Amino acid sequence: MASAVKDSRSGYGPLLRTPGAWTFLLPGFLARQPFAMLTIGIVLLVQSTTGSYGTAGAVSATTGVAMALFAPQSGKLADRFGQRAVLIPGVLAHVAGVVALIILALAHAPLWALLAVAVPTGASTPQVGPMVRARWAARLGGSPLMPTAAAFESVTDEFTFVVGPVLATALCTGVHPAAGLVAEAVLTLAGGLLFAVQRRSQPAVHRSQAGDRPRVSALSVPGVRVLIVAFLGIGAVFGGMQVSLTAFTQHIGQPGINGVLYGIFAGGNMLAGIACGALAWKVGPRRRLLVAYGLLALATTPLWAVTAVPLLGAVGLVVGLCIAPALITGYTLVESLVPAAARTEAFTWLTGAVALGQAAAATSSGQLADRFGPSMGFLVPLAGTALALTVLLALRAHLLPRSSTVAAGAPADGAEAPVPTLSEDRERELARA
């Protein structure tokens, strides 16, 4: 593997000229497309076969919970044994789970059977996004290009959330209720295996040797735990929007515009992500996260009261514009908070937190939509972001970067080094910008 790139420049041009980047970017782009199709594909298939948004949300939520719980374990194994060793069996297991879920749903199997299959389906979801981010961190090290890489990955993720839900909705409503999940399985198999064979760009394997200090878990870093809460709130926005938009468009008799409305929401996120990566920030990442998250919570406030489709699209666009800065800054903070040997695990914790928040929001929004009407489901994004913002403000001291000595190798007990002074922290943030 090539050594870390030390580039004093910022912006997308220098980032995309990083040696070896395209060998994992293109396969990674293909392999992460199914991630955005899974939840909406499950919701549309199960709702079609059962007639209940609550049941569809429960199955989707079970998949998300399993993904959230098992993703960090996948990250740990990837840090220890390499990404390829984890990805190939995971891809095969996930495809088998999706196929089984489709068969059971079409056979009108009982809820317990759908939930039982949803667990391994979610648990085996390939964590391609965190693996790509880990490859960027290995390539760039402490380069000022790291925030740009985080923004680029957020844009890539959000592009999949523009294309994925629209594609899944079109297939499920225009071809067959199971067509969205069939496409998800095919893309997972092709993209996942293609990404797995790119061995030269994967991060170095961190195997323990005799006499080494015990391996530190990313979860032992307080800042990571704070970011997990923040990403749970972001997941609540994604899950709440998916289910609530589906219920709303069904309620007004226009199910075909569901993918369009969600695409507008995700498109706002993508546009904001592009802007974030192009800017040379003078404000430190911790402050950016707090400001962006406050704006996100504020933007979700009017969702539940909107009844007109054009206005709902406009509000959804604003919500999307507010997500990207918070998401990108959270991922950027990982490089300064977590030792290199645990970064894949840290990224999977954050990705898993989004999935868990999405799952909980899908269940809650589905229940609210069934009982009180589709608009009530939009209260879930507001509640999730408001609670997460409260935690962020209370525990913001844990988001200060670790000292350079800890970044090189954390103590055995996982304790953080002394928090740097404000002037040192400010100097480090300016250097990173």
Side-chain angles (χ1 to χ4, degrees):
M1 186 188 68
S3 59
V5 176
K6 302 295 184 182
D7 198 322
S8 60
R9 298 168 293 171
S10 61
Y12 292 112
L15 178 72
L16 296 178
R17 289 194 293 271
T18 300
W22 286 103
T23 63
F24 63 85
L25 283 182
L26 291 178
F29 176 78
L30 177 63
R32 72 177 66 185
Q33 293 301 313
F35 191 85
M37 301 173 65
L38 180 61
T39 301
I40 190 66
I42 291 174
V43 169
L44 292 172
L45 173 61
V46 177
Q47 193 279 330
S48 174
T49 58
T50 65
S52 170
Y53 289 107
T55 300
V59 177
S60 174
T62 301
T63 303
V65 170
M67 184 192 309
L69 294 177
F70 283 87
Q73 308 310 315
S74 172
K76 281 185 179 180
L77 293 173
D79 282 329
R80 185 173 182 181
F81 299 106
Q83 295 181 358
R84 182 174 182 270
V86 174
L87 193 56
I88 291 178
V91 165
L92 298 178
H94 180 73
V95 171
V98 170
V99 171
L101 184 59
I102 293 172
I103 293 173
L104 289 174
L106 294 178
H108 300 280
L111 177 59
W112 67 264
L114 296 175
L115 295 178
V117 174
V119 173
T121 301
S124 58
T125 301
Q127 300 300 313
V128 176
M131 290 182 179
V132 172
R133 288 182 168 90
R135 294 188 186 212
W136 275 125
R139 289 270 162 172
L140 299 177
S143 167
L145 289 173
M146 272 304 298
T148 306
F152 182 83
E153 289 307 307
S154 179
V155 170
T156 304
D157 282 340
E158 288 319 306
F159 184 75
T160 69
F161 277 97
V162 172
V163 175
V166 174
L167 177 60
T169 300
L171 290 172
C172 290
T173 59
V175 180
H176 189 275
L181 285 183
V182 171
E184 191 272 350
V186 172
L187 287 173
T188 296
L189 183 63
L193 294 181
L194 184 60
F195 181 79
V197 300
Q198 308 302 318
R199 303 180 63 177
R200 303 179 75 178
S201 60
Q202 72 176 356
V205 175
H206 299 279
R207 289 194 174 96
S208 299
Q209 303 293 331
D212 286 350
R213 290 177 172 179
R215 183 181 300 272
V216 176
S217 170
L219 196 59
S220 67
V221 179
V224 171
R225 298 196 292 269
V226 175
L227 290 175
I228 286 173
V229 175
F231 277 56
L232 282 169
I234 292 174
V237 178
F238 286 127
M241 291 292 286
Q242 281 186 345
V243 174
S244 298
L245 286 174
T246 301
F248 178 83
T249 53
Q250 291 278 2
H251 178 73
I252 64 175
Q254 298 180 355
I257 66 172
N258 173 41
V260 175
L261 287 175
Y262 194 85
I264 292 172
F265 158 71
N269 195 351
M270 183 176 66
L271 291 174
I274 293 173
C276 286
L279 293 174
W281 293 98
K282 301 301 182 183
V283 178
R286 184 178 66 151
R287 183 176 299 176
R288 294 205 308 269
L289 178 61
L290 295 174
V291 172
Y293 218 95
L295 293 174
L296 175 60
L298 182 63
T300 60
T301 303
L303 281 170
W304 68 275
V306 177
T307 57
V309 171
L311 185 56
L312 183 58
V315 175
L317 176 65
V318 174
V319 174
L321 289 170
C322 295
I323 286 181
L327 198 67
I328 290 168
T329 308
Y331 279 123
T332 301
L333 280 166
V334 168
E335 198 261 340
S336 62
L337 292 171
V338 183
R343 282 182 190 150
T344 303
E345 181 197 350
F347 287 128
T348 52
W349 272 113
L350 298 187
T351 302
V354 173
L356 184 58
Q358 184 174 344
T363 301
S364 302
S365 296
Q367 295 293 336
L368 289 172
D370 281 343
R371 297 183 182 184
F372 306 108
S375 294
M376 292 299 100
F378 288 115
L379 289 173
V380 175
L382 172 58
T385 53
L387 291 173
L389 177 60
T390 301
V391 173
L392 274 177
L393 291 172
L395 302 178
R396 60 188 182 276
H398 291 308
L399 298 177
L400 292 171
R402 297 159 62 92
S403 69
S404 58
T405 56
V406 177
D413 59 3
E416 288 194 314
V419 176
T421 65
L422 180 60
S423 60
E424 291 171 338
D425 177 53
R426 180 62 174 160
E427 183 178 350
R428 184 178 293 108
E429 290 174 347
L430 288 173
R432 290 185 184 283

